[in-house]
Amino acid sequence: MIMEFLFTILAALISIVALGLVSVIVFEAYRRSLNNAHVDAPAIFEDPKSLKQVPCPDIFDPAKKYLSLIIPAFNEEHRLPGALNETMNYLKKGEAKDKSFSYEVLIVDDGSRDGTKRVAFDFVKKYGVDKVRAILLGKNHGKGEAIRKGMLHSRGELLLMLDADGATKVTDLEKLENQIHAVARKEHRGDSAACDTTFKISDIPIVAFGSRAHLEEKAIATRKWYRNFLMKGFHLVVLLTAGPGIRDTQCGFKMFTRSAARKLFTNIRLKRWCFDVELVFLCKWFRIPVLEVSVNWSEIPGSKVNLLSIPNMLWELALMSVGYRTQMWKINS
């Protein structure tokens, strides 16, 4: 009798907790459908020489550079300098070979508490505000929000997001760039598009995902057990949430044409680890071609992904699933 009573109490408690969790998820998804405040929160571009705050460019403006590189940074004072030096050396060589090649590097400081801002401003001072810019978010919002800010305030025809640790070599951007151009030519009047003066790569929505899927077998053998567990479980949840098609959604090396970035990053709502999955979902919604391109990758010490990341990932995926499946999250075309 007592066991039955205890079982009933336990079942009731589990039901209450489950109902409460579902209610919280639905409420938060509904709140974000009404209040997308992070979309309108101002990003500040600060000139370290004049110390003046300058309004950032807008993704709806015409492109003024060929390539924008967006680097989100949160407490990256130690890893950021090496990645930036490698990136700037590569870009300078490209500029020396082709005078028409233009670029910018946007470092988005996601509320760092260390010397990340100082490192970023050192590079701004060294290369000038036309080549390197630092966007300060003021407080920590998450990697997804930092990248979104950089995308929405960039000037490039092509926009590349890459991690501050330099895990993927910047030279691999050519692989993504070449694939995008190949597809764009086919999309725009066939291969003759290259000779068409009206052809602009920025006008054709295409996305290229850097992929580490070809390295998975080796990675499983060398990666820590909890990262393998997280990866396998995450792949399953991603399959259920966004559907099949992309083997590696989480590689931090992705390239977008300007028109693709405009559609995707004005709609994205997830701010942290799972924004990549939302990008896949939105690409399918807009029928934007997604290319998966193998890139070189190495694990760099200092990763912020750990077991504590799992609850946040599941939370965001639950929000996304409820938000889109109930059509509370409206997609602006």
Side-chain angles (χ1 to χ4, degrees), residues 39 41-47 53-65 67-68 70 103-108 129-136 147-157 159 258 262 266:
V39 171
I44 298 171
F45 163 54
E46 192 171 303
D47 186 337
Q53 294 182 352
V54 182
C56 295
D58 192 271
I59 190 65
F60 289 97
D61 297 336
K64 294 183 178 179
K65 299 283 185 180
L67 180 66
S68 293
I70 294 93
Y103 65 88
E104 65 174 350
V105 175
L106 284 80
I107 307 158
V108 187
V129 294
D130 188 54
K131 291 282 200 305
V132 181
R133 298 185 167 191
I135 295 178
L136 311 177
I147 290 173
R148 193 191 65 83
K149 287 289 188 184
M151 291 284 173
L152 293 183
H153 299 296
S154 64
R155 296 176 287 170
E157 295 182 59
L159 295 78
R258 192 170 186 82
R262 187 181 298 128
T266 53

Side-chain angles (χ1 to χ4, degrees), residues 38-282:
H38 65 286
V39 171
D40 300 320
I44 298 171
F45 163 54
E46 192 171 303
D47 186 337
K49 293 184 178 179
S50 65
L51 298 180
K52 291 182 179 179
Q53 294 182 352
V54 182
C56 295
D58 192 271
I59 190 65
F60 289 97
D61 297 336
K64 294 183 178 179
K65 299 283 185 180
Y66 173 68
L67 180 66
S68 293
L69 293 87
I70 294 93
I71 304 176
F74 176 63
N75 294 340
E76 292 286 3
E77 67 171 326
H78 299 298
R79 301 196 297 180
L80 186 59
L84 282 175
N85 279 320
E86 181 181 327
T87 297
M88 296 308 299
N89 289 335
Y90 169 79
L91 294 172
K92 285 191 298 181
K93 289 179 181 177
E95 187 179 40
K97 291 179 181 178
D98 182 0
K99 296 302 181 183
S100 66
F101 175 71
S102 59
Y103 65 88
E104 65 174 350
V105 175
L106 284 80
I107 307 158
V108 187
D109 182 0
D110 188 25
S112 298
R113 296 185 294 269
D114 63 357
T116 298
K117 175 181 174 180
R118 173 186 51 78
V119 171
F121 277 175
D122 285 345
F123 278 84
V124 177
K125 292 174 183 177
K126 182 177 180 180
Y127 293 99
V129 294
D130 188 54
K131 291 282 200 305
V132 181
R133 298 185 167 191
I135 295 178
L136 311 177
L137 298 190
K139 65 177 183 179
N140 179 251
H141 292 274
K143 180 181 178 181
E145 176 69 1
I147 290 173
R148 193 191 65 83
K149 287 289 188 184
M151 291 284 173
L152 293 183
H153 299 296
S154 64
R155 296 176 287 170
E157 295 182 59
L158 294 175
L159 295 78
L160 176 75
M161 55 173 268
L162 65 165
D163 290 337
D165 59 5
T168 300
K169 297 300 181 183
V170 68
T171 52
D172 276 1
L173 73 83
E174 296 175 18
K175 298 179 181 178
L176 279 62
E177 177 190 12
N178 292 338
Q179 290 293 320
I180 285 179
H181 274 280
V183 172
R185 284 194 295 269
K186 293 179 181 178
E187 292 279 333
H188 184 84
R189 301 180 187 176
D191 292 336
S192 62
C195 302
D196 188 345
T197 57
T198 65
F199 173 73
K200 291 183 179 179
I201 191 68
S202 60
D203 293 340
I204 302 176
I206 304 172
V207 177
F209 279 28
S211 175
R212 305 157 297 180
H214 62 295
L215 303 172
E216 186 170 317
E217 185 175 338
K218 180 180 178 182
I220 289 174
T222 59
R223 192 186 287 142
K224 294 179 180 178
W225 70 267
Y226 67 82
R227 288 179 69 89
N228 287 327
F229 174 78
L230 182 61
M231 178 192 69
K232 292 294 185 183
F234 188 77
H235 284 176
L236 176 60
V237 176
V238 168
L239 182 65
L240 296 174
T241 307
I246 302 297
R247 295 174 63 197
D248 183 6
T249 61
Q250 300 308 111
C251 181
F253 201 78
K254 296 180 176 69
M255 183 176 284
F256 309 80
T257 62
R258 192 170 186 82
S259 59
R262 187 181 298 128
K263 288 177 178 289
L264 297 172
F265 290 96
T266 53
N267 280 290
I268 197 169
R269 285 178 168 86
L270 298 184
K271 300 182 182 182
R272 296 189 179 275
W273 299 109
C274 293
F275 77 99
D276 307 81
V277 182
E278 189 177 7
L279 286 175
V280 174
F281 177 87
L282 289 171

